[in-house]
């Protein structure tokens, strides 16, 4: 019984204590309480005393009632940390925060507005809760920070003051908010560097970059858009740090000229191009970042043009002077010697440096004649070929770059023609105006191509005097008409005429012009004698060539 009374008394006492605890005032805080509700994976920098920060916040009482919010005002709260520009609790709470970190901060009255409160907004001895999101941090001592995250293998040149550059960029605030991008406009940003055309931080951040390099350029507002920001073209708040992700695409200086590199010169080089030459070449044309904009190879046709006569852009006119046939070279052309500030409107942007990798196929000059190089000549050469002689020869035909065209050796027989020649083996270089001209031969010889023939004379038969297709080797018979008139009917038919001429040739008394169709020659001779065209020759019609002007074949 006594035991039960004791237990009941203890339970009653516990209930009284519990009620007393519920009615007791909160235990006062000695310091701020920080709960980190979000911490970013990467924290490049934490707030220190003396830093300038931009942050958003919601201010609330312990019961959840909101007394202030930067979100409601539509602008961040911007202030120095640790310089007594904030209540002491907030000065402490911001130290160590990272950009994009979120903290829930509880501040006791003695580190907030104390017994005095703040007007009608914050009562005396109020505990304050702040939900803080840090968006930006910088220090007055900060300068431009550049971090290269991609470097090309080859960097022959770096950006210097007064250079003109073309680059793409994404511009963000320090919290990652995108405010501008050249990529969305599908157009590079083109400008001079170091002469005040850019914000100071970008002027500094671009120096030393290589074409193809990618870097992050971070700058404080003092080197960006300052305390006022930029709301005219893009949405950049005041006192904002700026981050630019930049890729450099092009670089030149107004003082640049044409640059020749990567030369591969064949040996020997017997001739170099001069102004006025007509040249055939292949090329790949690209921008400085490697973007291909044109290629003659893709069209399977060389680019054919005069050099030094204004038919090309200035840089190419200059870059093609002094080349050898078969040479390969890289020609780099600044925009003022290329397509200038306007570009071509499609594949070549304005102010673009051009790079041409070229291969010279051939060139000639309109004043060129046939070049003859004798490779072999027999010691005894008493008879020289002359115009009208009938020659049989083998040849290998090619273009100046060695591309094969044709060869009689492949057919196992000579090429036979009436042709002027005076050698046994020769190397002939023939300019197009003495070859196949501007049209060439479809599928075989390109237009305006210089031709190379290596020839070997196999046989030669002397030709007839100029203007003759038949000659007598001995004195002509005084009774020629009677000899032709085989049936003695006082007229010569075509068959009688043909039989007689062929008999004279076979007996060595006469010669037909070599290299021509004998039957056609004889038909033409008969027609010349058949004055009235009745298919027969009378004695009155018949005359020797020496007896008349113009001469016929007899």
């Amino acid at each position: 019984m006594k035991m039960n009374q004791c237990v009941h008394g203890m339970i009653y006492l516990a209930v009284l204590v519990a009620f007393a605890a519920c009615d007791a005032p909160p235990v006062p805080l000695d310091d701020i309480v920080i709960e980190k509700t979000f911490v970013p994976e990467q924290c490049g920098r934490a707030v220190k005393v003396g830093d300038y920060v931009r942050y958003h916040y919601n201010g609330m009482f312990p019961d959840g009632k909101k007394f202030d919010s930067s979100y409601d005002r539509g602008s961040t709260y911007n202030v120095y940390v640790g310089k007594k520009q904030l209540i002491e609790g907030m000065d402490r709470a911001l130290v160590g925060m990272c950009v994009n970190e979120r903290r829930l901060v509880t501040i006791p009255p003695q580190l907030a507005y104390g017994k005095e409160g703040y007007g009608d907004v914050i009562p005396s001895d109020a505990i304050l809760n702040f939900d803080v999101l840090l968006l930006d941090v910088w220090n007055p001592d900060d300068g431009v920070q550049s971090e290269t995250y991609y470097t090309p293998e080859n960097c022959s040149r770096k950006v210097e003051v007064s250079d003109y550059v073309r680059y793409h960029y994404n511009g963000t605030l320090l919290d990652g908010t995108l405010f501008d991008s050249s990529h969305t406009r599908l157009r590079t940003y083109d400008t001079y560097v170091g002469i005040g055309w850019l914000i100071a931080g970008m002027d500094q951040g671009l120096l030393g970059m290589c074409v193809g390099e990618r870097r992050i350029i971070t700058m404080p507002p003092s080197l960006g858009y300052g305390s006022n920001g930029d709301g005219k073209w893009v949405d950049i708040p005041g006192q904002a740090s700026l981050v630019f992700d930049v890729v450099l695409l092009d670089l030149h200086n107004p003082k640049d000229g044409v640059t020749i590199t990567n030369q591969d010169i064949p040996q020997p080089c017997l001739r170099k191009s001069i102004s006025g030459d007509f040249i055939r070449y292949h090329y790949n044309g690209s921008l400085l970042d490697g973007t291909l904009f044109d290629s003659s190879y893709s069209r399977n046709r060389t680019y054919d043009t005069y050099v030094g006569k204004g038919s090309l852009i200035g840089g190419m006119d200059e870059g093609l002077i002094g080349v050898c046939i078969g040479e390969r070279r890289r020609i780099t052309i600044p925009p003022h010697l290329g397509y200038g500030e306007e570009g071509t409107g499609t594949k070549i942007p304005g102010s673009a440096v051009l790079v041409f990798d070229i291969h010279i196929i051939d060139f000639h000059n309109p004043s060129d004649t046939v070049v003859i190089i004798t490779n072999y000549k027999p010691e005894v050469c008493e008879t020289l070929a002359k115009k009208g002689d009938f020659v049989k020869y083998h040849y290998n035909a090619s273009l100046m770059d060695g591309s094969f065209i044709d060869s009689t050796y492949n057919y196992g027989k000579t090429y036979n023609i009436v042709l002027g020649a005076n050698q046994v083996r020769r190397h002939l270089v023939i300019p197009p105006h003495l070859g196949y001209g501007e049209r060439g031969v479809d599928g075989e010889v390109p237009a305006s191509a210089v031709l190379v023939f290596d020839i070997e004379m196999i046989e030669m038969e002397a030709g007839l005097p100029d203007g003759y297709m038949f000659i007598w080797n001995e004195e002509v018979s005084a009774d020629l008409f009677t000899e032709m008139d085989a049936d003695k009917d006082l007229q010569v038919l075509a068959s009688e005429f043909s039989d007689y001429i062929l008999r004279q040739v076979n007996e060595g008394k006469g010669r037909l012009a070599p290299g021509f169709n004998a039957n056609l020659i004889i038909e033409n001779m008969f027609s010349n004698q058949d004055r009235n065209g009745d298919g027969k020759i009378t004695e009155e019609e018949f005359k020797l060539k020496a007896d008349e002007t113009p001469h016929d074949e007899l």
Side-chain angles (χ1 to χ4, degrees), residues 325-340:
I325 292 173
E327 180 178 341
R328 297 175 185 269
R329 63 167 55 177
R330 172 169 289 182
I331 304 174
T332 304
I333 302 172
H336 52 275
L337 295 175
Y339 291 98

Side-chain angles (χ1 to χ4, degrees), residues 481-489 491-492 496 503:
F481 180 79
T482 301
E483 293 179 5
M484 287 186 181
D485 185 13
D487 59 6
K488 307 305 178 183
D489 61 355
Q491 57 186 14
V492 177
E496 293 175 305
R503 188 166 60 251

Side-chain angles (χ1 to χ4, degrees), residues 43-94:
C43 180
R45 177 176 187 172
V47 177
K48 296 184 296 185
V49 172
D51 284 345
Y52 192 92
V53 296
R54 295 173 46 249
Y55 63 93
H56 269 306
Y57 70 89
N58 283 316
M60 299 166 291
F61 295 116
D63 63 358
K65 181 180 178 182
K66 183 168 63 176
F67 62 82
D68 192 17
S69 174
S70 62
Y71 296 99
D72 293 344
R73 292 191 297 274
S75 63
T76 57
Y77 195 79
N78 308 336
V79 68
Y80 282 100
V81 175
K83 293 191 174 184
K84 297 184 178 181
Q85 296 179 359
L86 293 163
I87 57 176
E88 186 177 352
M90 187 61 79
D91 252 348
R92 296 183 185 181
L94 293 171

Side-chain angles (χ1 to χ4, degrees), residues 350-403:
S351 300
V353 176
L354 308 179
V355 179
F356 290 91
D357 288 304
I358 66 166
H359 180 204
I360 305 300
I361 304 302
D362 76 26
F363 61 83
H364 72 279
N365 195 282
S367 62
D368 287 350
T369 57
V370 176
V371 175
I372 301 174
I373 300 174
T374 301
N375 295 326
Y376 171 78
K377 188 173 184 178
E379 294 182 2
V380 179
C381 182
E382 297 178 351
T383 304
L384 298 179
K386 61 185 182 299
K387 184 178 180 182
D389 286 351
F390 181 66
V391 296
K392 297 180 180 181
Y393 63 93
H394 275 302
Y395 69 81
N396 288 316
S398 63
L399 303 180
M400 285 294 283
D401 66 343
S403 298

Side-chain angles (χ1 to χ4, degrees), residues 276-319:
D277 281 347
F278 191 89
I279 192 165
R280 295 174 53 246
Y281 63 96
H282 270 304
Y283 70 89
N284 284 320
S286 61
L287 304 180
L288 207 57
D289 66 340
T291 302
L292 184 72
F293 62 78
D294 193 18
S295 174
S296 62
Y297 295 99
S298 65
R299 295 188 293 274
N300 197 29
R301 182 176 180 181
T302 56
Y303 193 80
D304 309 338
T305 185
Y306 285 98
V307 293
K309 289 191 171 184
S311 302
L312 297 162
I313 55 175
M316 188 61 83
D317 242 357
E318 181 180 339

Side-chain angles (χ1 to χ4, degrees), residues 495-514:
S495 59
E496 293 175 305
F497 186 88
S498 176
D499 290 343
Y500 182 81
I501 295 297
L502 289 175
R503 188 166 60 251
Q504 305 309 304
V505 171
N506 291 334
E507 294 175 358
K509 297 178 181 179
R511 286 185 63 209
L512 290 169

